[in-house]
Amino acid sequence: SLAGKNEALGIGTHANSELAFNVAGFKRFYTIVRAGPDNDAAVETSVSVGVKIDGELAFESARLTQQSAAIEIDLDISGAQELSLFTY
């Protein structure tokens, strides 16, 4: 759970991680990110999330904690071949 809420759908990863997707033919990437350490984390810590399009940084968040509000990411990916989501 994150921020006291369990999500039915989505991707959960550990920091540091990077997931790459073939997005050829897609026009937009939109998501709502709830990111931060799991509620079961033993210590207060933080994480950042980002998006790369064809290897170039397109979005990077501030540091997020369990109390951070959700953030929206809405990117034009027309003509892109690869989109990567990363955490650190």
Side-chain angles (χ1 to χ4, degrees):
S1 64
L2 185 63
K5 182 176 182 179
N6 291 319
E7 298 294 337
L9 300 172
I11 298 172
T13 67
H14 290 274
N16 297 329
S17 66
E18 186 166 354
L19 302 169
F21 303 91
N22 179 338
V23 294
F26 289 87
K27 296 182 190 268
R28 294 213 75 68
F29 171 73
Y30 176 80
T31 189
I32 297 175
V33 177
R34 270 186 222 22
D38 188 282
N39 283 340
D40 296 329
V43 296
E44 181 68 27
T45 188
S46 61
V47 64
S48 289
V49 299
V51 180
K52 294 178 191 172
I53 298 173
D54 291 334
E56 298 293 323
L57 184 64
F59 173 85
E60 188 171 15
S61 75
R63 300 300 287 179
L64 304 168
T65 69
Q66 289 100 329
Q67 292 77 35
S68 295
I71 54 175
E72 291 185 42
I73 303 172
D74 187 5
L75 301 170
D76 180 357
I77 59 171
S78 299
Q81 299 300 305
E82 183 179 86
L83 181 138
S84 298
L85 306 174
F86 65 91
T87 63
Y88 64 93

